[in-house]
Structures are given as C-alpha cells and as structure tokens.
Amino acid sequence: MKKKYAMAYIVDRCVDCKACMVACKAEWEVPEDKFRTHIDTGVSPDYTDTMRMHFLPHQCNHCDDAPCVTVCPTKASYKREDGIVSVNQKICVGCKYCIVSCPYDARFFNHELGVAEKCTFCLPRIAEGLAPACVTTCPGNVRVFGDINDPNSEISALLRDAATNHYKVWKLRQDLGTRPNIYYIQK
C-alpha cells in the first residue's frame, strides 16, 4: 500500500509555547509576518463551566480534495501520491487563487519570491527519514506525524488508541468535503 502522510495533534498537551512556529520559520526562512503553522487560542467553559484557555495548532490540512489544487491555473499546486499537497514554485505565477480558496487559511503569498507558500510537512526532512521540524521541536509531543497506511506507524497507533479509549477525534471543517488529513485528538 502507498504511503499516505498525515498529522495528529493531541490538543490537551499544547501550551502555546510556539516552538513549532519558531522551528518552522527557522527551517524554511518564512517571512517575518507570515506562518506555515500557527496556534489559535480561545477561552471557553469546560464540562464544569469553569472557563479554560485552549490552544489549537493549525497548518495546511493536506486535503484529499484540495480546493487549492483545483483552482490553480498552472497546476503549480498539486497533490502528491504520498498525500502531501505541494507547490511547484517554478511554475507558480502568484495569482493567489489558492490562497483565497483555502478554507483553512493555511497559505500566504511570499512577496520576496512572488509565489504562494504553505506547509509541506518538511518534504526534504521526510526524504532524509526525519520528522517535520515542528514535530521534533514540540516539547509537549503534541504533534504526531507519519504514514496512516502503515498500521505500525506512531500515528496509526495513536488513532487506534484514541478510538479504543473513546477520545474525541475530529478534523477541521469536514462539512466542506475537502477530506483534510490533520487529526485533532482530545483525551
């Protein structure tokens, strides 16, 4: 079976330290005012009506039915066989259609390069057998990355454990039919 990369966030572990964001910027030289990954924050009542701060990591969802791929007039945005949505910067014309079409607000325009950018799950690191920079940097082990078609991968084991223990597992905006590949787990 072909590899299919995905990521899961164990959201209970995130403390908004932003180490993932710093690691991503360092790895990819992301422009100062842009991010390939970020953390949304909010306050809401828990099951006892006590107000709690919560953090939600966020990045490209590497959708199986990615609107950014569909709207790209030059096919610079494309879906790889391993599930990663990528951008060929050599043929990107900077039209920004992909940025507008992304329901996860996961893309930005790099004015210096004149192209759209987004998370690539750190493709060069994966090719070297390494995990994405955000995964290796996270002190809380919030992020779990791997091949969900490999039953022995850490992410497959995590998702099985979550199902067995009836943890809350969800994906963002599944109502849109984009079939995202980022899982959120709350114990």
Side-chain angles (χ1 to χ4, degrees):
M1 184 177 289
K2 292 180 183 174
K3 288 184 178 187
K4 182 175 182 182
Y5 291 117
M7 189 175 293
Y9 301 132
I10 305 169
V11 295
D12 307 294
R13 295 178 178 174
C14 183
V15 295
D16 196 23
C17 71
K18 298 185 178 13
C20 54
M21 296 167 63
V22 172
C24 180
K25 280 188 169 284
E27 185 77 21
W28 292 97
E29 299 179 11
V30 177
E32 186 175 320
D33 61 334
K34 305 294 182 190
F35 297 94
R36 286 183 173 199
T37 186
H38 67 275
I39 300 170
D40 291 334
T41 59
V43 177
S44 62
D46 67 9
Y47 63 94
T48 65
D49 285 334
T50 302
M51 296 304 283
R52 291 191 60 172
M53 188 94 180
H54 53 88
F55 310 107
L56 201 63
H58 188 80
Q59 67 183 71
C60 172
N61 279 247
H62 297 277
C63 303
D64 286 339
D65 192 8
C68 59
V69 170
T70 304
V71 300
C72 182
T74 64
K75 306 298 179 205
S77 290
Y78 64 101
K79 180 85 173 173
R80 294 168 39 108
E81 285 190 13
D82 58 13
I84 296 173
V85 174
S86 193
V87 179
N88 181 342
Q89 293 185 343
K90 292 178 182 171
I91 59 174
C92 176
V93 294
C95 69
K96 304 177 190 170
Y97 291 169
C98 59
I99 295 170
V100 174
S101 73
C102 177
Y104 305 101
D105 196 25
R107 289 177 171 240
F108 62 90
F109 188 72
N110 184 322
H111 291 278
E112 185 175 317
L113 301 176
V115 297
E117 283 195 27
K118 58 174 277 310
C119 166
T120 63
F121 280 152
C122 288
L123 271 171
R125 292 178 59 91
I126 295 170
E128 294 177 16
L130 302 171
C134 60
V135 173
T136 58
T137 305
C138 180
N141 296 318
V142 173
R143 296 169 182 244
V144 176
F145 171 80
D147 177 6
I148 58 172
N149 284 341
D150 176 359
N152 298 316
S153 70
E154 185 179 359
I155 191 169
S156 292
L158 175 65
L159 292 171
R160 271 195 314 274
D161 181 60
T164 301
N165 290 297
H166 306 289
Y167 297 148
K168 183 179 176 184
V169 178
W170 73 100
K171 298 177 182 180
L172 297 179
R173 300 298 317 261
Q174 291 188 84
D175 59 311
L176 299 174
T178 60
R179 298 184 294 146
N181 286 295
I182 301 289
Y183 296 83
Y184 291 83
I185 300 171
Q186 187 171 30
K187 294 183 176 182

